Each structure stands twice: as C-alpha cells, then as structure tokens.
C-alpha cells in the first residue's frame, strides 16, 4: 500500500497532472512504480488471475490560481490518459486562492501481464493550485 504526497502548493495547468514529490510509503513489490517529481504512476498486472485490482484514493486541497476566474474547478483520477468521469471532484470557490478540500477514489483493474498509467489530472478549463496532495494505492485482489 504505497503512499505518494506533494505537500507544497503547485500550479497545475488545465489538462495537466499533479506532480508528486514525496514517497512516505514506497511500494516494495514493484506493483506500483513512480519517479519522484512526476505525475505518472504505473500499475502492474502481476497476478495469477485474469486481472489485478487496485483501489486508488486521492485527497488534497485545490483553489483557483491567482489571477484566475472564480468558478467551478475540478480534479479527477485518470487512467491511461483518460479522466474517469465517476472520479471527478468539483468545488466552486468564490475567489482566487480560496482552497477547498477534495477527495475521490476508484477501483482500477489491470489485465494480467499488462500495465496501466495512473495520474491525478486538472480537468478544469483553467489553472488551479493544488496543495497537500495525497495518493494511496492499495492492491485489493
């Protein structure tokens, strides 16, 4: 059950990924791989069954970046570059730089012998600030 974090605030452009800089709990089995400072993770389908199932939990604080327009902003879990519609977390700040806490989770299946690319993506139409980002990936079966 690895954990990845990015405590410092970062500006994430529209349709870009949150970058994770710390790994408080690394994956010691090679099932989840990540390069520090990257926004991409690889989930491996190492299993004796037809698929491996992971539960992905994300939580963090998001705000409209300075100079942005107050209004709805969203973040989502993306698999192989595609945001999962059921994982979109949306808040509506009334001012720039007003942070709100968001959380979302998804189950992701990876076919035996394959890999899946995982990221946390800004699906808003403008840049957002993200702080205290926390991602936990749990292999459930």
């Amino acid at each position: 059950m690895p954990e990845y974090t990015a405590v410092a605030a970062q500006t994430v452009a529209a349709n870009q990924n949150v970058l994770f800089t710390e790994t408080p709990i690394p994956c010691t089995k090679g099932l989840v791989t990540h390069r520090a400072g990257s926004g991409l993770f690889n989930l491996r389908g190492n299993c004796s069954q037809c698929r491996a199932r992971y539960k992905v939990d994300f939580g963090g604080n998001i705000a409209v970046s300075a100079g942005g327009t107050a209004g709805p902003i969203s973040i989502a879990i993306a698999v192989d570059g595609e945001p999962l519609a059921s994982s979109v977390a949306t808040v509506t700040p009334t001012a720039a730089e007003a942070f709100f806490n968001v959380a979302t989770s998804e189950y992701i299946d990876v076919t035996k012998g394959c890999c899946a690319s995982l990221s946390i993506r800004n699906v808003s139409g403008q840049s957002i600030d993200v702080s205290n980002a926390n991602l936990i990936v749990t292999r459930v079966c």
Side-chain angles (χ1 to χ4, degrees), residues 17-63:
N17 300 328
V18 175
L19 306 179
F20 288 83
T21 53
E22 298 95 28
T23 308
I25 303 172
C27 178
T28 58
K29 296 183 179 184
L31 300 175
V32 180
T33 58
H34 174 256
R35 182 179 48 81
S38 169
L40 295 175
F41 300 82
N42 283 314
L43 307 179
R44 294 182 62 200
N46 272 5
C47 58
S48 59
Q49 302 133 349
C50 60
R51 63 166 165 68
R53 177 168 285 170
Y54 296 88
K55 183 173 186 217
V56 175
D57 294 296
F58 171 78
N61 300 316
I62 63 174

Side-chain angles (χ1 to χ4, degrees), residues 2-133:
E3 176 184 26
Y4 304 94
T5 61
V7 176
Q10 61 183 285
T11 299
V12 181
N15 296 312
Q16 295 299 310
N17 300 328
V18 175
L19 306 179
F20 288 83
T21 53
E22 298 95 28
T23 308
I25 303 172
C27 178
T28 58
K29 296 183 179 184
L31 300 175
V32 180
T33 58
H34 174 256
R35 182 179 48 81
S38 169
L40 295 175
F41 300 82
N42 283 314
L43 307 179
R44 294 182 62 200
N46 272 5
C47 58
S48 59
Q49 302 133 349
C50 60
R51 63 166 165 68
R53 177 168 285 170
Y54 296 88
K55 183 173 186 217
V56 175
D57 294 296
F58 171 78
N61 300 316
I62 63 174
V64 173
S65 295
T69 304
I73 54 174
S74 303
I75 202 160
I77 296 170
V79 176
D80 295 331
E82 295 289 330
L84 302 176
S86 58
S87 73
V88 175
T90 302
V91 295
T92 307
T94 57
E97 299 179 307
F99 280 90
F100 284 78
N101 186 264
V102 293
T104 187
S105 65
E106 282 287 336
Y107 285 99
I108 298 171
D109 289 339
V110 181
T111 304
K112 179 180 179 176
C114 292
C115 290
S117 175
L118 169 72
S119 62
I120 305 301
R121 178 165 292 184
N122 172 8
V123 292
S124 306
Q126 63 179 323
S127 294
I128 63 171
D129 291 337
V130 179
S131 69
N132 296 323

